[in-house]
């Protein structure tokens, strides 16, 4: 079990949360000397920088944008007198990729992994009714022992540089909200729910973990605030009569309130909005509340101008509005779990989410999308870095599932993106990751991983572990693009025929397919990179998808253009967006709108 609660910080009769977002002091530490020379007590010659945000795109010099190493943040936080006697903590939405936290110079937390929240308990270190100094040391270097994978090299001028085994820019820093939280000594540590539909009624089994022995009561309220079910005890079943189910793009959220009680006194109260629904894979279908669904949507990124991977509430809103306009019903949180607020919004809007752990780059190559097409094999899982990598990977799986398990929107776990799977050494690694996810999720949601181009029916050693087969395919882009499109289609069909021949009786979805496209480029007849080519390419892919009855979803790569590492393969970013980075439609968006609005829910 994790050392800290993953429940999203909320206010209640017993809990307080105060935002710590704003301008923080900031400085780089290229020599890695900060700890030794006492920066935990306060950082020197500090600049001011917004939190939450990635640090990279604010500055105008390249050394800062490309910086790899330690970076330090500092702020002051006032801890009120009324918090004395409670638990007090600082909750970081994330710190990319590893962090050490100090309060008034005392070390209070360490965390590895850049895309999931953690708490620094400051109860015994905080000065109450006084200002306290918070210092965070972050390191953003990539390695093969932590996810996402890559390496850090040293240039001839002595500067370090990150070399990711993936294309998205290595944005880092305090990229999500930071909150000061206070909650009682005896408190609700965790809540887990599982749903069953019984005719018109629903049965929600729940379990609550608290830090004490006082009795627990769970009450469910409908959207009008009416009490619809109540149960006593840390475990039990809540019966909701005439349940209003959470449906795809037609959400309904009940409020589940957990109270720890001492007679009539409420010691702690925690509420969460939860949609009641079931998810299941049956034969070739993905079923939501027993009905088959066809996924229409995107692989996304948390990425936008200026704040980089920083959570931006306005960008989130715009993304959902664009997805609703185009007729999408789903997205994958490629290639890492997103900010908590995005799942809350997906719950509210009725979107289906494939939640992905940051296990990307488990294929040693700086251009794996190219090299996989050439048949390159790297036996990644035979390396001696694997035991430590696995440990970090398993912990991220635990943090993700613990954080996201109650979200109605989360319908599947994606446990790796485009790993190397052609070598037997991958199998035991995969088995452990897949088993862990199964054990942690009481809802037993389907598990998947995104298959890279060389993970083919006759080369992939791991697809049998996936409950849903997720394919990333670029026939007509990385392979046989342009005038060779007819050969691309033939090769694509030949691969799909082989999968069909395996008779796996499992749903397949496309988690990536796409073509880089310049929003300003038009050409008749088409050329690659023009808007006309993007449409022809998509039409070809959709002809293929529509020919196989086991294909149960299409999530095009990518929702929007996004920033990547610079190089000859990317013109200031990946341009496969259906929307530009500023979230305006390319021509293909209108094509998708027409297709998706006319596809039946179960296609
Ligand atoms: C992939 C990767 C994704 C890349 C994409 C591309 O296979 O999963 O992260 O951005 O290809 O556009 O090359």
């Amino acid at each position: 079990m994790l050392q800290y609660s993953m429940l999203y910080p909320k206010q209640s009769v017993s809990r307080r949360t105060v935002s710590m977002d704003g301008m923080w002091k900031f400085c780089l530490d290229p020599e890695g000397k900060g700890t030794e020379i006492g920066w935990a007590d306060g950082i020197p010659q500090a600049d001011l920088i917004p939190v939450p945000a990635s640090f990279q795109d604010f500055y105008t010099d390249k050394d800062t944008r490309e910086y790899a190493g330690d970076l330090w943040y500092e702020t002051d936080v006032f801890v009120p007198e009324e918090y004395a006697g409670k638990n007090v903590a600082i909750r970081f939405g994330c710190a990319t990729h590893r962090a050490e936290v100090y309060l008034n110079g005392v070390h209070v937390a360490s965390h590895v992994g850049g895309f999931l929240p953690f708490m620094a308990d400051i109860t015994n270190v905080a000065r109450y009714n006084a200002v306290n100094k918070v210092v965070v040391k972050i390191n953003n270097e990539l390695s093969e022992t932590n996810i996402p994978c890559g390496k850090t090299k040293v240039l001839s001028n002595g500067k370090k540089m990150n070399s990711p085994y993936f294309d998205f820019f290595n944005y880092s820093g305090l990229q999500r909200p930071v909150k000061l939280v206070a909650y009682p000594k005896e408190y609700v540590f965790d809540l887990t729910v599982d749903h069953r539909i019984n005719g018109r009624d629903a049965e929600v089994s729940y379990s609550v973990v608290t830090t004490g022995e006082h009795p627990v009561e769970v009450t469910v309220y409908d959207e009008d605030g009416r009490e619809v079910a109540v149960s006593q005890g840390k475990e039990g079943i809540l019966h909701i009569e005439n349940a209003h189910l959470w449906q795809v793009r037609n959400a309904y959220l009940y409020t589940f309130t957990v109270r720890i009680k001492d007679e009539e006194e409420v010691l702690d109260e925690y509420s969460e909005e939860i949609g009641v629904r079931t998810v299941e894979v049956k034969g070739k279908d993905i079923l939501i509340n027993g009905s088959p669904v066809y996924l229409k949507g995107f692989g996304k990124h948390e990425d936008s101008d200026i704040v980089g991977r920083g959570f931006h509430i306005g960008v989130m809103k715009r993304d959902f509005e664009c997805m609703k306009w185009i007729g999408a019903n789903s997205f994958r949180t490629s290639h890492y779990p997103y900010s908590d607020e995005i799942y809350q919004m997906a719950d509210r809007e009725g979107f289906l989410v494939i939640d992905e752990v940051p296990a990307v780059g488990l294929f040693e190559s700086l251009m794996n999308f190219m090299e996989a097409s050439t048949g390159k094999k790297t036996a990644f899982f035979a390396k001696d870095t694997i035991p430590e990598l696995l440990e970090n990977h398993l912990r991220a799986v635990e943090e993700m599932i613990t954080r996201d398990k109650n979200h109605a929107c989360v319908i599947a776990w994606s446990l790796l993106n485009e790993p190397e799977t052609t070598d037997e050494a991958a199998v035991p690694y995969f088995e452990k990751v897949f088993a862990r996810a199964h054990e942690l999720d009481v809802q037993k949601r389907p598990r998947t991983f995104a298959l890279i181009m060389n993970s083919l029916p006759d080369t992939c050693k791991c697809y049998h572990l996936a409950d849903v087969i997720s394919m990333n395919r670029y026939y007509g882009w990385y392979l046989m693009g342009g005038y060779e499109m007819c050969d691309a289609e033939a090769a694509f069909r030949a691969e799909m025929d082989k999968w069909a021949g395996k008779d796996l009786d499992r749903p397949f979805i496309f988690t990536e397919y796409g073509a880089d496209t310049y929003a300003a480029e038009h050409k008749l007849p088409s050329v690659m990179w023009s808007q006309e080519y993007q449409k022809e390419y998509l039409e070809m892919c959709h002809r293929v998808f529509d020919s196989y009855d086991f294909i149960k979803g299409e999530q095009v790569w990518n929702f929007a253009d996004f920033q990547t590492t610079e190089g000859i393969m990317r013109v200031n970013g990946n341009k496969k967006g259906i929307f530009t980075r500023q979230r305006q439609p390319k021509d293909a968006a209108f094509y998708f709108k027409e297709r998706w609005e006319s596809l039946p829910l179960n296609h």
Side-chain angles (χ1 to χ4, degrees), residues 143-206:
S143 71
E144 290 190 0
T145 52
N146 188 23
I147 50 175
C149 292
K151 54 186 167 209
T152 305
K153 59 185 184 193
V154 181
L155 302 174
S156 59
N157 63 5
K159 299 215 157 87
K160 283 196 255 181
M161 179 182 150
N162 272 310
S163 294
Y165 298 164
F166 47 86
D167 77 337
F168 55 93
F169 191 76
N170 185 42
Y171 280 122
S172 31
L174 291 177
Q175 306 186 111
R176 294 184 187 158
V178 183
K179 294 174 199 283
L180 175 70
V181 295
Y183 46 100
K185 290 285 179 203
E186 186 170 345
Y187 69 100
V188 179
F189 184 88
D190 199 10
L191 164 71
T192 310
V193 294
D194 190 17
H195 312 283
R196 265 190 50 200
I197 302 168
N198 227 339
R200 293 166 61 91
D201 305 337
E203 282 180 4
V204 183
S205 46
Y206 70 89

Side-chain angles (χ1 to χ4, degrees), residues 274-517:
I274 296 179
V276 174
R277 59 96 189 90
T278 60
V279 184
E280 196 188 344
V281 164
K282 206 172 194 178
K284 299 183 179 75
D285 282 316
I286 302 168
L287 306 178
I288 306 292
N289 303 326
S291 303
V293 65
Y294 185 85
L295 305 185
K296 302 177 284 187
F298 302 98
K300 288 187 93 261
H301 265 300
E302 290 182 301
D303 174 279
S304 64
D305 284 330
I306 306 184
V307 293
R309 190 143 292 120
F311 173 71
H312 189 295
I313 198 167
V315 173
M316 171 177 78
K317 173 69 179 163
R318 174 71 183 181
D319 284 6
F320 275 93
E321 289 305 315
C322 290
M323 289 194 289
K324 282 154 57 177
W325 169 81
I326 206 171
N329 63 12
S330 66
F331 60 93
R332 175 173 62 128
T333 69
S334 39
H335 292 305
Y336 35 81
Y338 291 177
S339 203
D340 302 76
E341 295 77 5
I342 295 175
Y343 300 80
Q344 292 163 9
M345 183 101 175
D347 279 346
R348 175 56 65 202
E349 296 283 8
F351 275 84
L352 305 172
V353 172
I354 299 175
D355 204 2
E356 186 158 277
V357 78
V360 53
L362 283 71
F363 187 119
E364 187 190 344
S365 163
L366 302 184
M367 286 199 288
N368 46 24
F369 39 88
M370 281 295 285
E371 300 196 53
S373 330
T374 65
K376 175 172 170 166
K377 299 181 180 184
T378 65
F380 186 86
F381 294 95
K383 291 173 177 244
D384 54 13
T385 43
I386 286 301
E388 193 178 339
L389 180 69
L390 177 62
E391 202 180 301
N392 285 325
H393 192 161
L394 291 175
R395 202 191 40 257
V397 169
E398 181 173 6
E399 290 177 355
M400 174 178 79
I401 295 182
T402 310
R403 185 189 71 158
D404 297 338
K405 62 191 169 186
N406 293 338
H407 286 293
C409 64
V410 174
I411 57 149
W413 308 112
S414 171
L415 300 174
L416 309 99
N417 180 69
E418 299 201 335
E420 211 292 317
T421 65
T422 59
D423 190 89
E424 283 294 341
V427 180
Y429 186 100
F430 272 61
E431 282 172 349
K432 291 186 190 86
V433 174
F434 275 70
R436 189 83 184 106
H438 190 71
E439 175 198 329
L440 287 164
D441 183 19
V442 296
Q443 293 187 11
K444 306 298 175 208
R445 269 164 277 220
R447 298 152 300 165
T448 190
F449 70 98
L451 273 72
I452 194 167
M453 285 288 292
N454 73 347
S455 294
L456 294 162
D458 43 7
T459 58
C460 179
K461 306 272 194 282
C462 300
Y463 67 81
H464 62 282
L465 293 165
D467 304 308
V468 174
I469 311 261
S470 299
M471 311 257 280
N472 292 358
R473 290 295 179 268
Y474 289 96
Y475 294 102
W477 185 252
Y478 292 124
L479 274 185
M480 295 169 265
Y483 194 47
E484 290 177 76
M485 178 92 84
C486 56
D487 288 0
E489 181 167 350
F492 200 170
R493 287 181 185 276
E495 184 190 343
M496 294 318 296
D497 289 344
K498 279 197 190 166
W499 286 113
K502 286 196 169 270
D503 218 2
L504 294 179
D505 197 30
R506 240 174 285 176
F508 279 57
I509 57 175
F510 282 87
T511 35
E512 285 185 29
Y513 62 106
D516 284 274
T517 305

